[in-house]
Amino acid sequence: MRDSTNWEPTAYRTHTIGQVVAAGESLVGSEVTIAGYAETVRGRGAICFLMLRDGTGRIQAFLKKDNMDDDLFDSIQSSTRESTIQITGKVAKKRPPKVPEGDPLPPPEFEVNAEDGMILAVSDTPLPVGVTDEVNVGLDVRLDNRHLDLRRAHVNAMFQLRSKVLQYGREHLISEGFQEINSPKIIAAAAEGGTNLFPMKYFETDAYLSQSPQLYKQLAVLGGLERVFEIGAAFRAEKHDTYRHLNEFVSFDIEGAWMDDEDVMGVQERMISHIWCKISENDMGLIDAVNEYRESQGKDPVTVEAPALPFPRIPYCEAIDIVKQGGGEISWGDDIESHHCDIIAEKYPGFHFIPRWPMSMKPFYIHHKEGEEGSTGGQLSRGFDLNYGRDEMTSGGAREHRVEVLEQNLRDVGLDPADFTFYTDGFRYGAPPHAGWGLGVARLLMVLTGAGNVREVVLFPRDRSRVTP
Ligand code: AMO
């Protein structure tokens, strides 16, 4: 439930339910107007107990037929669950429950003695997804009915946590001097290689949806903005159908001038540590809501402890050795896939960086790692990943800032520098060395909330088979 201490009254309510509950004794006898979803409606004859819930709390409204208009009483008494109802009445202290002699009295509870009200919208029955009671439906049914799924306490808590992750992440980057930018999402050339772009018609010309803010965040830094970040949508026309890939995802990106790969790994680990510290200081109620549900499903609770800094660094070559020693089949130059990551995670279960990937496996904008070679003589790069367990959270690296090398890198991956002049021109007038990363927000949320699928922590996911709701 959200903290609504500072919320102002609105056209529909004088108080949030959370405010009434928190005010306790001090509002007893005062008239309030509240509004919410009808969680349960009980009682027959001339009395009715209506449990109302809004996004900030729940409270019982007590309705007596002789206290209010007959028709209104009847309509509320026969209203369906999840209908929205407004109630006006005086706050009262509930009669304390009978407790065995010698036991401490529980804290007092409050209710609203209704005098007036209104049904704002009637809910259909039956509900396709249980809100307060657990109905076993699959993820697809839940996503088809996300508007209702979101009313479930633990789902609601996950999205509040998502908002907190973005808030604390922003807050940390701003404290390190990064400023927020917004790059275009309609673009003319691929940032991450040409194969997985969604084409679109842009008036008379062809265009694409942006895969990443990569080239634009670099141009912003080359232009003198020094340290930038962006939280925005990225689109990838990948045919993956996995628990961690979507075709639209939110990428949390930074780029900083006069920085290298090690510098931006530092920014990343400090930001994640800040997020984890803040959540454990302020938001454990949300984690409790998630854990209550996990417990009901027989799953281990999630814990939130600020990870120790620095995160371990396991250079690519060492990671390959760990996988081989652990019995995995892999050779230098191969991608490190999830089943390989499982082996590495046995030794490094938390967040860990994998720096110095082979240059051949990293995009054209990544800087070579001079003076170092892989075991088979292959060029290494200043590109890195951040992993947690079997999942990649982030990729990043130091960028190539010398325009001739950048153009050669483009040619090396079969791209034509002539298609990238909007980007390479940015390097022709003095370019600061720079570095950055892109973090998949939903992947980080999976770690924080224990969700087994990114779709759990994305409001309206877009995957191969889903473009609605
Ligand atoms: P990359 O392509 O590795 O790097 O993406 C960065 C991070 O974004 C997340 N991610 C995804 N999440 C869900 N569904 C997808 N299909 C998906 N693809 C990627 C991952 C990944 O680690 N420009 C670089 C970043 C940089 O160097 O600054 C880039 O986009 O968590």
Side-chain angles (χ1 to χ4, degrees):
M1 294 288 179
R2 298 187 58 187
D3 173 15
S4 57
T5 316
N6 300 323
W7 295 13
E8 293 291 332
T10 69
Y12 293 93
R13 61 185 179 196
T14 60
H15 294 76
T16 65
I17 293 177
Q19 285 170 336
V20 177
V21 173
E25 301 277 355
S26 67
L27 269 183
V28 168
S30 307
E31 187 178 277
V32 295
T33 297
I34 54 176
Y37 306 97
E39 208 168 87
T40 52
V41 190
R42 291 183 295 116
R44 286 217 199 104
I47 59 168
C48 167
F49 301 96
L50 165 69
M51 185 56 84
L52 264 193
R53 179 193 78 245
D54 67 10
T56 70
R58 60 161 63 77
I59 198 165
Q60 178 170 282
F62 178 57
L63 286 75
K64 251 174 143 177
K65 201 162 193 167
D66 52 12
N67 261 1
M68 61 198 305
D69 177 79
D70 266 14
D71 289 346
L72 176 65
F73 179 90
D74 291 341
S75 62
I76 293 179
Q77 193 174 47
S78 57
S79 61
T80 46
R81 287 169 106 183
E82 297 300 312
S83 294
T84 46
I85 300 179
Q86 182 189 50
I87 290 289
T88 299
K90 291 206 171 65
V91 179
K93 202 164 168 173
K94 264 168 113 178
R95 204 176 313 142
K98 283 207 177 77
V99 289
E101 212 158 313
D103 279 9
L105 268 181
E109 281 189 45
F110 301 89
E111 63 186 356
V112 175
N113 287 328
E115 286 155 18
D116 199 1
M118 194 192 303
I119 297 191
L120 302 168
V122 174
S123 168
D124 279 358
T125 54
L127 300 172
V129 171
V131 172
T132 47
D133 37 24
E134 192 51 31
V135 179
N136 269 334
V137 291
L139 183 57
D140 264 335
V141 177
R142 288 179 47 207
L143 292 176
D144 287 342
N145 295 280
R146 194 55 137 177
H147 46 272
L148 269 183
D149 186 50
L150 284 170
R151 293 188 196 175
R152 303 163 78 201
H154 73 284
V155 180
N156 198 291
M158 281 187 178
F159 283 94
Q160 289 186 59
L161 285 165
R162 186 177 164 114
S163 159
K164 298 289 178 186
V165 163
L166 298 179
Q167 179 188 334
Y168 299 142
R170 264 198 180 93
E171 168 178 296
H172 180 78
L173 290 177
I174 290 168
S175 81
E176 291 210 18
F178 289 82
Q179 54 187 334
E180 191 157 3
I181 57 164
N182 304 104
S183 64
K185 301 302 164 214
I186 300 175
I187 47 125
E192 307 289 333
T195 54
N196 53 17
L197 286 162
F198 282 113
M200 61 172 284
K201 202 83 203 138
Y202 190 65
F203 302 107
E204 285 76 39
T205 169
D206 292 331
Y208 306 95
L209 292 177
S210 165
Q211 295 170 304
S212 154
Q214 182 64 39
L215 308 185
Y216 292 94
K217 63 179 180 170
Q218 287 188 257
L219 287 174
V221 163
L222 296 173
L225 295 187
E226 283 271 338
R227 296 181 172 201
V228 300
F229 74 94
E230 174 163 8
I231 303 172
F235 305 89
R236 306 244 170 127
E238 294 162 345
K239 291 189 175 164
H240 292 302
D241 183 16
T242 77
Y243 67 94
R244 62 180 187 181
H245 287 96
L246 292 175
N247 296 104
E248 175 181 343
F249 66 95
V250 171
S251 184
F252 196 145
D253 279 76
I254 74 157
E255 201 66 28
W258 325 111
M259 292 180 134
D260 72 3
D261 39 344
E262 190 50 51
D263 292 322
V264 291
M265 283 192 259
V267 176
Q268 170 99 99
E269 62 195 356
R270 290 191 294 276
M271 181 181 100
I272 290 179
S273 166
H274 178 78
I275 294 172
W276 256 240
C277 284
K278 282 289 188 177
I279 301 257
S280 64
E281 259 170 58
N282 304 329
D283 306 303
M284 286 311 284
L286 298 173
I287 297 288
D288 290 346
V290 171
N291 280 338
E292 214 171 288
Y293 180 75
R294 291 179 67 83
E295 200 179 324
S296 76
Q297 301 296 299
K299 292 186 181 152
D300 289 341
V302 287
T303 52
V304 186
E305 279 161 33
L309 296 184
F311 295 170
R313 272 98 168 129
I314 308 142
Y316 174 87
C317 297
E318 193 182 322
I320 296 291
D321 288 343
I322 294 175
V323 173
K324 280 185 183 160
Q325 282 155 20
E329 280 207 15
I330 198 164
S331 311
W332 198 92
D334 287 346
D335 197 4
I336 302 178
E337 293 178 23
S338 296
H339 59 281
H340 301 132
C341 293
D342 286 337
I343 299 175
I344 300 171
E346 283 170 22
K347 201 163 168 196
Y348 298 100
F351 291 106
H352 54 272
F353 286 110
I354 304 189
R356 316 233 179 114
W357 282 69
M359 189 62 203
S360 57
M361 303 181 68
K362 283 289 167 190
F364 64 84
Y365 49 78
I366 291 287
H367 205 293
H368 291 80
K369 177 86 180 79
E370 277 103 354
E372 241 186 82
E373 285 186 343
S375 53
T376 56
Q379 274 279 329
L380 291 180
S381 76
R382 287 183 167 274
F384 64 85
D385 283 357
L386 174 74
N387 283 16
Y388 186 100
R390 66 183 347 239
D391 296 317
E392 177 193 314
M393 303 282 116
T394 302
S395 337
R399 319 305 189 185
E400 182 51 69
H401 63 283
R402 297 159 300 179
V403 71
E404 7 19 281
V405 185
L406 193 55
E407 286 176 336
Q408 188 54 47
N409 286 356
L410 280 164
R411 278 185 222 104
D412 287 349
V413 294
L415 294 171
D416 182 357
D419 294 335
F420 287 84
T421 50
F422 74 94
Y423 170 65
T424 49
D425 282 354
F427 295 74
R428 289 189 200 288
Y429 308 99
H434 57 287
W437 42 252
L439 161 75
V441 171
R443 302 244 180 121
L444 192 63
L445 259 296
M446 280 175 77
V447 177
L448 182 68
T449 65
N453 190 316
V454 280
R455 290 162 183 78
E456 296 268 357
V457 288
V458 173
L459 208 44
F460 296 104
R462 294 289 177 256
D463 60 26
R464 274 207 80 189
S465 52
R466 182 176 285 283
V467 277
T468 53

